[in-house]
Each structure stands twice: as structure tokens, then as C-alpha cells.
Amino acid sequence: MGENGGGKRWNFGANEAVEQSSSQNVRYFMNLLADNLDHNDSRPVIPLAHGDPSPYPSFRTDPAAVEAVCDALRSAQFNHYSTTSGLPIARKAVAEHLSRGLSYQICPNDVHLTAGCHHAIDVLISTLAVPGANILLPRPSYPMYDSRAGFSQLEIRRYDLLPEKGWEVDLDAVEALADDKTAAILVINPCNPCGNVFSRQHIQKIAETASKLGILVIADEVYRNITFGETPFVSMAEFAETVPVMVLGSISKRWAVPGWRFGWIVTLDPHNIMKDSGLVHSLANVLNMSTDPTTFIQGAIPDILEKTTDEFFSSKLEILRGCSETCYQEIKKIPCITCPYKPEASMFTMVKLELSVLEDIKDDLEFCCKLAKEESLIILPGRSLGLKNWLRISFAVEPELLKDGFSRLSNFAQRHSKKQQP
């Protein structure tokens, strides 16, 4: 609230909850770093901060997916409003798609369509945010969960991912953190931001621990198909008999179309625990109050999922594999950063910043701001993900651009390294 020059009082103003919550997401830090760019630098900006390779020719989506969208538009059958949880043909297509490789078939009625995974997070957090409740989030994490939980006044309790153990969940900490007000634990697998894949044995232990604590597992599996290491991906859906599971996903990453805004929440509840508690009904009511994925994208989904070629997926995965190897090897050449675990999935890796070998840089944020200003290179500070004095580096760009980025990073590190005494 405030007054203008005439003394009139207005009954509105900044929302402090919004200001606080918005400062915890990737876009906030991306905008902050963009503000530090030197616009007199004629070199192109190299964005190694976020996972959106869609602008690059090497990652252009499959023509079959584009044709599916065009056909849906031309048909004039998908210009209407969506139904709650999505069109039946799209829900069925997603259920069949996610059932491939599972030991059972997912029911279409358990699939709830959303306008991308961000929207899925909004819907899920809104559903869980009852007064006094808390949620267990990993550190480091994907910060949209932190932003939405903070805004919804859902208490956040953080458990650590352990770099010395391949970024596995600290299950002892999980048990110590949970109480009778804990609603859920978030598990991101394959992991953004760490680039690891949990083993089947570890996924099972997480499910058993959650069951013991009486809490829901939120399984963010956006990168389920972006794996290129030795550890095979196993969906938390395989352990729905052990613990109630909500799986979140989207087409954004595998098809490289984040702008198409199509995702899902799948409620896996064979013992009707979520249903009997009323949680599924509340989820549907939140969806009733929310937006829907674009109807013509829903109409295109059966063909997108069915007709995209295996060659498209394999070629994109091979590019990412090569870029991840380049990233890992180039990190080794730069003394001020260390990578505790070679990335085997997603589009990212986490590296520890060794401030002791640098001068004039006090923390990860200053490192990234100066890097943006001096080298027109954008890398995400670890504090944005809950881990100060670490960095998240994306390797989902054109291979030559990635090499150029690491050349700039190396030059920056050399320029700011402590000079050895003679």
C-alpha cells in the first residue's frame, strides 16, 4: 500500500511471498546473470545454465512430431476446451507409452495431463499444501519445487544427495527429518542437476523407507529417456506395490520441445491409499481450478508418441553422450572446479568450486556473475539449487559451442587464479 503525490492511499502493493519465492528459481538467476553481460562483447553468449537445446539444429525435434501437431490443427477437431485431466485419447496414449518396459499396464484413468512439468509441480504442491504439512526435498534439487512449496507455505525439509556415493539419497537423514506431518518425499531420477541414475536397489530402498514413514513418493522422471551410462533407468512405478507413487513427466526433454507445454502426473495406487485418503480427489479438484495443456497438442500426442522414429532418439542421445564426455574431460583441465561423478543422464553435471585457488571471488554467485560479464558465458550458481559454492553446467548445446564455452571458462579461471609466490 502507498500514497501518490496527492495523498491518496491505495490498498495494494508488492506481494512479499511472491518476491521471496520467485528468488528461488532458475529464471531469477538466469535474469540476474543476463544483467551482468557486457553488451560491448561482440561474441555470442554461450548458455550452459539451462537444459533447452531446442534452438540448435542438432537437437531439432523429429519431423513426425511436427506433422502430428499440424495434422491435429488442420483436423479442426481440437479447437475446444479440454476435459478435466485431459482428453481420453491423450491419457490413453501416455498410459501406453509409460507402460512400455513396466511389469504392469498403467490405467489411463490414473494419468492426469498438465501444461508441462512446471504445471504438474504447481498442481501437486497445491494439492499437498495443507496447514502444518511438510515435504522432503533433495539438496541439490530442481528449484521450482522450492519456489512453489515456499509460496504455498508447505514447509521444506532438505535431505542431502551424497556426491561421494554417486549422489545417492542419504536415507538415514530422510528418516531423521520425517515426522507425522510429512506428506511426501521428492525423488528426481535421472537427476537434475547431478546427472546420475539411481540403481534399482537404491530405488527400492527409497520406496521401502517412504513406506515405513507413511509418506508419498513424488517421482520426477522428466529425464527418464535421457540416459547414456552403464546404470539402467528403473522407474519408481515398479515399486507402487510398496508405496503410493506420483510420477511426473513431460515430452519437453526427449523431444526437445519445452515450448509445447505437455506433461503429466500419474497416480500409482494399487492399494487405493491415495484414493481412500481423498488425495486423488483433491488433485482432480486442483486440476478443475487450473489451466489445461493445449488441446491440439493433446490431439497430436498419440501420433507424437507412436510415430517418432527410433533413429531420432538414438541420434540425439549419441550427441548428448559425446557432449557429456567432452564436458567431463574439459572439467578435469580446470583446477578451480572438480566433478565428483561422471554424468550418465539428463543434460547437466554438478561441479564443486574450489575458491581457495581463486582470488577476487568470494562465492559461486560472484564467480558466475563475473564469468558472464567477462566471457559472455552463462553457468548456473549452485546456490540456486540449494548447494552453495557449486556450479551446474549444462552440456546440451552444439558440440562446437560446448568446446568454445569451456575455452572461455578456462581463460576465466586462469585469469582469476591465485598467483604463486616466487
Side-chain angles (χ1 to χ4, degrees):
M1 295 182 289
E3 299 181 4
N4 63 12
K8 172 71 176 178
R9 183 177 180 84
W10 298 98
N11 299 326
F12 51 83
N15 184 328
E16 293 302 323
V18 170
E19 301 303 311
Q20 176 63 29
S21 298
S22 68
S23 67
Q24 300 172 20
N25 63 44
V26 169
R27 283 183 177 175
Y28 171 84
F29 285 94
M30 293 278 291
N31 292 335
L32 179 63
L33 295 174
D35 289 341
N36 279 271
L37 291 168
D38 180 359
H39 297 289
N40 293 318
D41 189 341
S42 61
R43 297 174 298 177
V45 176
I46 299 179
L48 301 186
H50 67 304
D52 181 8
S54 61
Y56 305 112
S58 293
F59 292 93
R60 191 162 293 151
T61 198
D62 190 56
V66 176
E67 283 303 310
V69 174
C70 292
D71 289 347
L73 272 171
R74 292 190 189 104
S75 74
Q77 295 178 21
F78 303 104
N79 296 331
H80 53 81
Y81 286 119
S82 177
T83 50
T84 300
S85 294
L87 302 182
I89 58 167
R91 297 173 75 185
K92 179 175 182 289
V94 171
E96 291 174 351
H97 173 70
L98 296 178
S99 295
R100 294 170 191 163
L102 273 184
S103 57
Y104 63 95
Q105 293 294 307
I106 293 173
C107 175
N109 289 339
D110 294 332
V111 175
H112 309 273
L113 304 182
T114 60
C117 202
H118 276 193
H119 181 221
I121 295 169
D122 291 351
V123 169
L124 187 50
I125 294 298
S126 296
T127 304
L128 294 173
V130 299
N134 66 75
I135 187 171
L136 307 183
L137 301 182
R139 180 172 46 216
S141 181
Y142 179 60
M144 185 57 68
Y145 290 95
D146 301 66
S147 291
R148 294 308 307 181
F151 183 66
S152 299
Q153 298 184 346
L154 179 61
E155 181 191 346
I156 299 168
R157 298 184 180 181
R158 304 182 197 281
Y159 67 88
D160 287 325
L161 301 179
L162 304 173
E164 68 276 13
K165 293 186 177 180
W167 296 108
E168 285 189 346
V169 173
D170 184 345
L171 290 172
D172 291 337
V174 167
E175 292 203 40
L177 287 166
D179 61 17
D180 60 356
K181 297 294 186 180
T182 304
I185 179 173
L186 169 66
V187 180
I188 305 175
N189 181 50
C191 185
N192 170 13
C194 302
N196 61 297
V197 181
F198 294 139
S199 68
R200 183 183 185 92
Q201 293 78 8
H202 192 58
I203 289 287
Q204 182 174 353
K205 287 180 181 178
I206 295 170
E208 290 170 350
T209 300
S211 178
K212 175 183 175 181
L213 296 170
I215 62 177
L216 166 74
V217 174
I218 303 168
D220 184 326
E221 297 181 351
V222 166
Y223 288 96
R224 59 181 287 131
N225 300 110
I226 313 294
T227 64
F228 36 79
E230 295 183 359
T231 308
F233 168 76
V234 176
S235 174
M236 184 62 78
E238 288 289 3
F239 299 98
E241 285 284 349
T242 302
V243 65
V245 176
M246 286 196 184
V247 174
L248 276 61
S250 77
I251 64 170
S252 298
K253 304 304 179 181
R254 195 183 190 197
W255 275 265
V257 288
W260 290 11
R261 312 313 302 146
F262 184 87
W264 52 78
I265 301 170
V266 183
T267 55
L268 301 172
D269 190 28
H271 300 297
N272 293 323
I273 297 169
M274 288 190 286
K275 182 179 179 182
D276 291 346
S277 72
L279 182 63
V280 174
H281 188 258
S282 292
L283 179 73
N285 282 335
V286 173
L287 285 165
N288 277 336
M289 295 187 291
S290 187
T291 189
D292 307 301
T294 305
T295 315
F296 66 81
I297 296 292
Q298 293 190 55
I301 278 297
D303 281 349
I304 291 174
L305 298 181
E306 184 64 33
K307 295 184 178 180
T308 303
T309 64
D310 290 339
E311 182 184 357
F312 166 78
F313 295 132
S314 60
S315 65
K316 299 303 175 281
L317 207 56
E318 200 55 40
I319 295 169
L320 281 173
R321 188 197 314 274
C323 288
S324 73
E325 183 66 30
T326 297
C327 180
Y328 185 65
Q329 296 303 328
E330 291 297 322
I331 288 168
K332 292 180 180 180
K333 301 174 185 177
I334 302 174
C336 68
I337 54 176
T338 55
C339 182
Y341 191 82
K342 184 177 181 179
E344 57 179 347
S346 78
M347 299 175 178
F348 310 101
T349 191
M350 288 292 290
V351 299
K352 188 175 184 180
L353 186 58
E354 305 292 346
L355 292 170
S356 62
V357 303
L358 297 170
E359 60 183 10
D360 301 326
I361 292 177
K362 67 178 183 294
D363 58 28
D364 57 320
L365 182 58
E366 185 174 23
F367 181 95
C368 291
C369 286
K370 287 185 173 180
L371 179 63
K373 183 176 181 61
E374 296 176 24
E375 294 290 346
S376 293
L377 175 62
I378 306 291
I379 286 175
L380 202 63
R383 69 180 56 209
S384 66
L385 312 162
L387 209 55
K388 290 183 179 180
N389 297 330
W390 286 67
L391 310 170
R392 187 188 76 173
I393 301 176
S394 171
F395 45 80
V397 296
E398 293 286 4
E400 290 305 313
L401 195 62
L402 183 64
K403 292 176 184 177
D404 189 8
F406 271 100
S407 175
R408 296 188 196 183
L409 181 56
S410 179
N411 290 338
F412 176 83
Q414 290 176 20
R415 193 160 56 248
H416 287 274
S417 64
K418 286 184 177 177
K419 308 301 184 286
Q420 300 217 350
Q421 297 295 327

